[in-house]
Amino acid sequence: MQHLQLPMTFIGGHEGAGIVDAIGPGVTGLEIGDHVACSWIPSCGTCRFCVRGQGNLCDLGINMMSGELANGGFRFHRDGHDIGAIAATGTFSQFAVLDQRSTVKVDKDIPWEWISLVTCGVATGWGAVLNAGKVVAGDSVAIYGCGGIGANAVSAAVQANADIVAVIDPVESKREFAQKLGADAVFADAGEAHADIWERTHGVGVDVAVVTAGVVTSDIIRSAFDLTRKGGTIVLVGVADDATEETLQLSSSMLTLYGKKVVGTLYGDCNPRVDVPQLLRMAKHGKLDLDSLVTRRYSLDQINDGFRDMLSGANIRGLIVHD
């Protein structure tokens, strides 16, 4: 995104997993050798939002773009200068120092790839459907975008026994993957989707539209709004390419008279300390397929290949595997 205020130079990577190699003073609940998920959403458990069950909005997230740790200061340095780590994690680095409130202890028999996947893309997609969208059995759901987050939104809607799960994505391979996940209908563009889904729902519209596109535009939001029934919900997960762009350009009259709801969600309204272990348990018990999400694995020196594949739409998920 063009206008996020990131420090330069900074360490990228906000999803990851690792082993505790050392512990600083004041750390409790963790031991050397523990396996942890690196949580880009910190969770203090004591701020107003955490105690209200909104851990995804924890006050410690204020440092997300500066890279400063929750307990203050920076832990990456170069040539005498501090270097920030995205979301105070910096998982593109083979070694990192994290505040313990940015970690979630997990079982040692969980595959590293599973842990990394659930720390953002999986949790966000699932939560967008089940927490923010409140999808229940029999609902009709339209999902705009079937990438790393959208694919998990599709899985969540299918497992929730939604009556219709429709996916709109311009990339053919992603539409094919959506069908493998159980989507009932896939479309290359919003206009085609609107006509077909309107007919499928007998002119009612979908109960929930989830916008997980990589770059959200006013046209995508308007399409989701128009396709959603009276009293339905539009869940916004993705963001605009320019964070200052005003992409919500909707009829306030239609919003009021039709009782529609537009809901923004960060991290799918999930709580990392609750939902990361829960999703991993589901995977262990065969209730959640994480392996199929991985399109390609990269070494750290292939990271630019990973970015190119991501931008071209070639991957559902790419993983960096540290030696």
Side-chain angles (χ1 to χ4, degrees):
M1 289 171 288
Q2 298 174 351
H3 294 277
L4 291 180
Q5 299 301 310
L6 294 172
M8 292 295 178
T9 305
F10 73 97
I11 307 296
H14 72 292
E15 299 169 294
I19 301 174
V20 176
D21 187 62
I23 294 175
V27 173
T28 60
L30 289 175
E31 299 178 352
I32 293 175
D34 280 346
H35 291 196
V36 295
C38 303
S39 179
W40 68 283
I41 295 288
S43 178
C44 72
T46 58
C47 72
R48 174 181 181 180
F49 299 97
C50 281
V51 299
R52 288 170 60 92
Q54 296 175 296
N56 62 311
L57 301 178
C58 177
D59 282 341
L60 295 181
I62 193 172
N63 293 335
M64 192 175 296
M65 291 302 139
S66 72
E68 184 175 356
L69 266 64
N71 64 342
F74 298 87
R75 299 300 185 272
F76 289 104
H77 311 279
R78 184 176 182 179
D79 299 330
H81 298 287
D82 294 330
I83 299 177
I86 187 73
T89 54
T91 57
F92 287 170
S93 172
Q94 188 172 2
F95 300 95
V97 178
L98 274 66
D99 187 289
Q100 75 169 96
R101 292 165 292 187
S102 293
T103 64
V104 178
K105 184 177 177 179
V106 298
D107 294 340
K108 291 184 178 181
D109 62 345
I110 302 290
W112 295 117
E113 294 185 356
W114 289 10
I115 303 169
S116 298
L117 288 167
V118 302
T119 56
C120 182
V122 175
T124 300
W126 273 75
V129 169
L130 301 178
N131 297 336
K134 304 186 185 306
V135 170
V136 297
D139 278 352
S140 53
V141 183
I143 298 168
Y144 290 76
C146 190
I149 294 174
N152 292 287
V154 174
S155 293
V158 170
Q159 288 213 18
N161 291 317
D163 180 43
I164 298 173
V165 179
V167 173
I168 302 95
D169 196 297
V171 179
E172 183 178 4
S173 61
K174 293 185 177 181
R175 296 196 300 272
E176 292 173 351
F177 187 68
Q179 289 178 309
K180 291 179 181 178
L181 293 173
D184 300 293
V186 296
F187 308 95
D189 64 78
E192 177 188 358
H194 189 106
D196 186 276
I197 297 173
W198 207 248
E199 182 176 346
R200 287 173 184 258
T201 60
H202 306 289
V204 174
V206 298
D207 298 285
V208 181
V210 184
V211 180
T212 61
V215 178
V216 175
T217 65
S218 58
D219 288 341
I220 294 175
I221 296 176
R222 189 177 300 109
S223 172
F225 184 82
D226 291 343
L227 188 57
T228 304
R229 66 164 173 82
K230 293 184 288 185
T233 302
I234 301 92
V235 180
L236 301 184
V237 181
V239 294
D241 187 48
D242 181 344
T244 65
E245 183 181 350
E246 296 181 356
T247 51
L248 272 177
Q249 300 170 9
L250 305 172
S251 166
S252 59
S253 297
M254 297 296 287
L255 184 69
T256 299
L257 296 175
Y258 280 15
K260 300 186 182 186
K261 296 177 287 294
V262 180
V263 177
T265 180
L266 176 66
Y267 194 51
D269 290 3
C270 285
N271 182 321
R273 300 202 178 281
V274 175
D275 293 294
V276 165
Q278 177 177 307
L279 289 165
L280 291 174
R281 285 195 299 271
M282 291 175 62
K284 283 180 66 174
H285 297 153
K287 303 293 181 65
L288 179 61
D289 179 12
L290 298 176
D291 293 325
S292 67
L293 295 173
V294 182
T295 310
R296 184 179 172 188
R297 295 165 181 83
Y298 307 86
S299 62
L300 187 58
D301 60 4
Q302 294 174 314
I303 191 168
N304 287 335
D305 295 331
F307 277 115
R308 279 190 288 269
D309 288 343
M310 178 188 70
L311 292 172
S312 70
N315 284 347
I316 298 298
R317 294 309 313 267
L319 284 178
I320 293 176
V321 180
H322 293 295
D323 295 329

